[in-house]
Amino acid sequence: MTRTALVTGATGYIGGRLVPELLDAGWNVRVLVRTPRKLRDRPWADRIEVVEGDVGDTDAVRAALEGTDAAYYLVHSLDTGRRFERRDRALARSFARAARAAHAKRLVYLGGLYPDVDELSPHLDSRKEVEEILLDSGVPTAVLRAAVIIGSGSASFEMLRYLTERLPVMITPRWVDNRIQPIAVRDVLRYLVGAADLPDDVSRGFDIGGPDVLTYRQMMQQYAEVAGLSRRTIRPVPVLSPNLSSHWVGVITPVPSSIARPLVESLVHEVVCKEHDIARYVPDPPGGLVGFTRAVSLALAKVQAYDVATRWSSASAPGAPSDPLPSDPDWAGGSLYVDERCSPVNASREALWSVIESIGGQNGWYSWPLGWWARGVLDRLWGGPGLRRGRRDPFDLSVGDALDWWRVEEVDDLELLRLRAEMRLPGLAWLELAVDDGPGGQVVFRQRALFAPRGLVGHLYWQLIKPFHGIVFGGMQRGIAAEAERVQAEGRASRWRRSSNLPGTPGRPTA
């Protein structure tokens, strides 16, 4: 018999990753959201039931709970400002009333791991209060208490990422040596799915954490090692208060201050699991829980081998729970600098593509030859390939081909050429050249240069070369378009023909 789960917070970090996990586990999923259009690009959008409504609307929640076997409360108000505690309290009470009135069978709440102290930070105190409200609802409730969740898009992880990547030398507060028990997002999701099947007489909180207990200093050093960064110099001082620390984090990272401030204030506490009772109901996986360095590796995998979207809109293909999602906040997922240009071309797709596919080598790059030559010489001096490799064929490119200091990563005939840089760089770089359709059947040439910086040097490198982008990338845009128009005028695009053996399938150019 198929069971139904209600998920609140489905547009958020955990909720957006929990829904596909529940679907894969065989649940019917119903989501309660204020703005259903935010879900339309999710790959699982056509597999769920969407109910429009607010968590604070008791009647809407009660209606959404009808016929459900489990309900997930994944709502918080950190990003609403200083009075988030008041809003969290009101929403939790409203949800608890609705759940009791609808005779809900099971509630599951993801809260925060907190120590046994008299005074908690506002963030952890609010999480504890919401936990108590739901446990007192009269509905069997499972509360999962987690500390720092490791996965791309998690606010705590993004703070760790940006601080470590951007600051090789840090003056930090004393809390940098407080102990924390982080947990990988995939283990959090496994516990959330399993918590829906707890026995009816189990209504309590559970501490959940990974296998490692680390200080924040150790977490930053291990992150740096996994990310290929040099060891960070960290100097804790007693004069940095949580208030000053939150302002400091706001300057260094793009995480909004409304989120960073309560999270930083919570770092004054040591948060280590006091029990592992959840394993009695949701056993550890055969390979054990995911350790910190493995969780960081999973979170960085998408950036270290960046899956650049082949289209010019956000990709929505499902991935691992640790991967960034298009729905994550703009500040999540690490830094990616983009120089994007497009222009209409008075030429056919074949003419434009013939120029794109023959770029590099003896044909050059259609902009500032002296600049390309100088950059190639510098790359050689730094141990890179420079421009000496040229190209295998003057007209044809295949995936894996070397092209000067680039490597061909993808070729989609008449549509897209993606190149990955193999020059010496403080980061990862790609160049995309694409043929697109414009209004009225006009051909459009689109060009993107992407750079994922590594460490502070990577960020400085991008800023250093940014003034030259107009010469290099702007010149390339204009030069390729002009050459395509010359090819069209001279009829030379006829060398690029379609295969007679595969009608309608792009072939290769003939010399």
Side-chain angles (χ1 to χ4, degrees):
M1 180 179 175
T2 304
R3 297 171 298 168
T4 299
L6 173 69
V7 177
T8 63
T11 59
Y13 172 67
I14 291 295
R17 288 161 171 80
L18 175 63
V19 169
E21 297 293 319
L22 288 169
L23 290 170
D24 289 345
W27 286 81
N28 285 333
V29 177
R30 181 183 301 161
V31 302
L32 176 67
V33 292
R34 286 177 297 177
T35 313
R37 68 173 181 274
K38 290 184 177 180
L39 298 173
R40 62 188 176 193
D41 292 330
R42 304 293 180 96
W44 36 260
D46 59 348
R47 300 170 59 194
I48 63 171
E49 179 186 352
V50 179
V51 177
E52 184 174 357
D54 190 281
V55 173
D57 183 340
T58 302
D59 293 336
V61 173
R62 182 174 178 177
L65 283 167
E66 291 296 331
T68 61
D69 299 276
Y72 288 87
Y73 189 75
L74 304 174
V75 176
H76 67 76
S77 306
L78 277 185
D79 57 352
T80 62
R82 289 183 175 272
R83 297 184 177 181
F84 67 88
E85 307 104 307
R86 181 184 302 177
R87 177 168 172 77
D88 276 342
R89 182 186 309 116
L91 291 178
R93 286 174 175 169
S94 176
F95 190 84
R97 286 194 299 269
R100 184 168 54 249
H103 304 291
K105 298 178 181 179
R106 161 70 59 190
L107 302 182
V108 182
Y109 169 59
L110 178 61
L113 187 61
Y114 54 85
D116 293 326
V117 296
D118 292 335
E119 187 173 347
L120 292 171
S121 70
H123 165 55
L124 290 181
D125 192 49
S126 178
R127 290 297 180 100
K128 182 181 179 183
E129 184 180 25
V130 170
E131 167 186 324
E132 292 170 348
I133 290 170
L134 296 178
L135 285 170
D136 291 341
S137 67
V139 178
T141 300
V143 175
L144 303 179
R145 309 185 190 104
V148 174
I149 297 176
I150 306 300
S152 184
S154 160
S156 297
F157 176 74
E158 296 300 337
M159 269 182 15
L160 174 72
R161 181 211 299 265
Y162 288 116
L163 288 174
T164 309
E165 288 188 349
R166 296 184 175 184
L167 294 176
V169 178
M170 288 177 253
I171 304 298
T172 64
R174 287 178 297 181
W175 53 250
V176 77
D177 288 318
N178 286 347
R179 296 186 307 152
I180 300 170
Q181 191 164 351
I183 182 171
V185 64
R186 60 182 57 200
D187 283 331
V188 173
L189 296 173
R190 190 173 55 81
Y191 284 137
L192 284 169
V193 174
D197 289 320
L198 293 181
D200 293 343
D201 61 348
V202 176
S203 185
R204 52 163 291 188
F206 297 91
D207 293 352
I208 59 172
D212 303 313
V213 176
L214 305 164
T215 66
Y216 206 86
R217 181 204 300 261
Q218 291 172 324
M219 289 167 60
M220 287 192 286
Q221 297 291 17
Q222 291 189 23
Y223 178 98
E225 183 177 354
V226 174
L229 302 171
S230 62
R231 185 172 179 80
R232 287 7 218 167
T233 300
I234 301 172
R235 295 285 183 264
V237 295
V239 296
L240 280 177
S241 67
N243 186 42
L244 288 174
S245 300
S246 64
H247 287 300
W248 168 64
V249 170
V251 171
I252 299 301
T253 80
V255 179
S257 59
S258 60
I259 296 176
R261 180 184 176 89
L263 292 179
V264 168
E265 291 173 343
S266 298
L267 291 174
V268 301
H269 302 299
E270 289 202 333
V271 281
V272 178
C273 295
K274 298 178 287 293
E275 42 84 9
H276 189 50
D277 296 350
I278 190 65
R280 301 207 312 251
Y281 305 99
V282 186
D284 293 347
L289 299 172
V290 179
F292 178 77
T293 56
R294 173 61 177 158
V296 172
S297 296
L298 292 168
L300 297 184
K302 205 74 167 183
V303 173
Q304 292 175 342
Y306 196 85
D307 183 15
V308 184
T310 58
R311 300 298 172 197
W312 300 89
S313 58
S314 296
S316 58
S322 305
D323 291 344
L325 293 179
S327 55
D328 288 343
D330 292 340
W331 45 262
S335 300
L336 182 70
Y337 293 116
V338 181
D339 182 283
E340 184 170 346
R341 302 167 188 269
C342 70
S343 62
V345 180
N346 293 321
S348 64
R349 293 180 73 93
E350 289 81 3
L352 178 56
W353 182 254
S354 70
V355 178
I356 290 174
E357 198 176 20
S358 62
I359 200 169
Q362 293 298 318
N363 300 320
W365 293 87
Y366 297 97
S367 71
W368 200 21
L370 178 61
W372 284 86
W373 174 84
R375 184 62 178 88
V377 170
L378 289 175
D379 192 54
R380 291 284 301 276
L381 293 175
W382 293 336
L387 296 173
R388 70 180 186 271
R389 298 190 303 191
R391 51 181 295 150
R392 171 184 58 81
D393 182 277
F395 303 117
D396 178 75
L397 287 176
S398 298
V399 172
D401 280 356
L403 178 57
D404 293 333
W405 59 50
W406 306 93
R407 181 75 60 180
V408 179
E409 193 169 84
E410 182 171 344
V411 180
D412 189 355
D413 286 334
L414 288 175
E415 291 194 8
L416 174 71
L417 172 65
R418 182 187 304 136
L419 308 174
R420 185 183 71 252
E422 293 186 339
M423 68 183 87
R424 301 284 289 180
L425 287 170
L428 302 173
W430 294 263
L431 177 63
E432 290 186 338
L433 307 174
V435 184
D436 202 356
D437 293 324
Q442 189 173 36
V443 174
V444 174
F445 173 37
R446 296 186 182 273
Q447 175 183 298
R448 284 202 307 184
L450 304 102
F451 181 64
R454 181 180 295 115
L456 179 62
V457 175
H459 291 278
L460 294 176
Y461 172 81
W462 178 264
Q463 299 304 324
L464 181 65
I465 66 170
K466 191 173 181 179
F468 300 99
H469 287 181
I471 301 174
V472 177
F473 298 127
M476 181 187 299
Q477 177 84 16
R478 294 186 296 271
I480 290 176
E483 180 63 15
E485 291 170 359
R486 280 194 292 271
V487 167
Q488 178 72 30
E490 296 172 9
R492 290 186 282 127
S494 60
R495 71 170 182 248
W496 204 97
R497 59 180 178 78
R498 295 182 181 275
S499 168
S500 59
N501 295 325
L502 295 173
T505 302
R508 290 295 187 185
T510 58

